[in-house]
Amino acid sequence: MASQTQFSDRPRVLVVGGGYVGLYVAKNLQKKVKANGGIVTVVDPLPYMTYQPFLPEVAAGTINARNAVVSHRMHLKDTELISGKVVAINHATHTATVEPADGGAPFELSYRDVVMAAGSVTRTFPIPGLAEAGIGMKTIEEAVEMRNKVLERIETASLMTDQAARARALTFVVVGGGFAGIETITEIEDMARGAVRENNRLKREDLRFVMIEAMGRVMPEVKPDQAEWVVSSMRERGIEVLLNTSLASAEGGLLKLINMADKSPAGEFEADTLIWTAGVQANPMVRATDFPIDDRGRVRANAELRITGDDGPLEGAWAAGDVSAVPDLTGGGVGGFCVPNAQHAVRQAKRLAKNLLADRYGEGQVVEYRHKNLGAVAGMGQYKGVANIMGFGMKGLPAWLAHRGYHGMAMPMFERKFRVVSGWVSNFVWGRDFTQLLNLKNPRKAFVEAATPAKKPAAK
């Protein structure tokens, strides 16, 4: 193990993860912990928090990628930031093992209090070819890649003469009919339709969009009649919605489907683009700790957001967000627990910070987390959306406005809100930018070509 002498030796609040929970916990603790002689430390391999509800709009080009993330350095001035991953925790000794992001030797970091805020990762299944052909929609990098790939496929396909290859290039598939899947496919379809209008070698009918959902309905967060409207609206736009259907194989870009009712084959076709949005799971790093874990791989916590075992809460151990199983005291959560969404994560983070200060420094009282889910909003492309707010259903333009309004306010930090909203205004005035950025995976291509001596023509 490498030495940790380069880090502060003050009593540490270790925050594992810099997402919703990590950012808000650190922001609300940093000054007060510092004033009491301690330090807040955030460990995350990324230098920013990603506002994941904006990823479909980043993929569709209506939000600049940088505006959908929040810099840790900019907003956590009094926090010790470590670029790396916590790969193990021994709470019995109050130590964590950190693996630096640059691949350096792991080292141990001691702490007084720990906050498990590691979030969730994409949940996948052992489907042949999925790892090779698919991509998720969980990170800003994935969203940027999807925007560029869809636009590149459209431009490239417009020059193809092989009809089979052209059809494959213009086929875009999303697996998963939850909020993430619906927003992703509708936002990208909206962008693709606009891009095709700018290319006189293609027409909308050349594009094929397919959504695959294993259940018999989409978006369980909204009312059944709203879910039916979503499917009807998508089909009117030419998007194929395959319910009760699962992906059986994706080897070589050949997608084979299976009917979930009788497990019979449900057809096959080729596609160059396969986006996986079929759920999330708690970050598996929690299994490398001595914390109590439930049967779904989440850290067990009580309503005070303390990590809790069979013998009660663990001293100095806290958890919130997607990585934790927090009881939903309102009775509205699935299985009795808070659902994994940004709404709960942000509110739990603020409550956790107050509870930790109350427990450690006597500032106020420890209070149980209680929040009734306000509902859900989803964008489905420009001026289209669906929402269920406090039991009141909306669709179309009103829902789209509610979606923009809610997420514009929920985006952390005023400067980020301003950047996002100003981008929306710019798009409204000038229209969407359909320029794809090429060679992001090989940025040295132009330099290497310029620096490589030209080959002399062969002698005749």
Side-chain angles (χ1 to χ4, degrees), residues 35-57:
N36 282 280
I39 190 168
V40 176
T41 300
V42 172
V43 180
D44 194 289
L46 300 174
Y48 50 78
M49 166 263 191
T50 302
Y51 191 70
Q52 293 176 355
F54 280 156
L55 293 183
E57 288 200 59

Side-chain angles (χ1 to χ4, degrees), residues 124-135 247 249-251 274 276:
T124 60
F125 301 102
I127 298 172
L130 176 61
E132 294 75 22
I135 186 172
L247 180 65
S249 173
E251 290 184 300
L274 173 62
W276 182 270

Side-chain angles (χ1 to χ4, degrees), residues 128 133 168 247-257 268-271:
R168 174 176 170 141
L247 180 65
S249 173
E251 290 184 300
L254 175 62
L255 307 190
K256 296 182 180 180
L257 310 181
E268 61 183 47
F269 58 89
E270 292 186 314

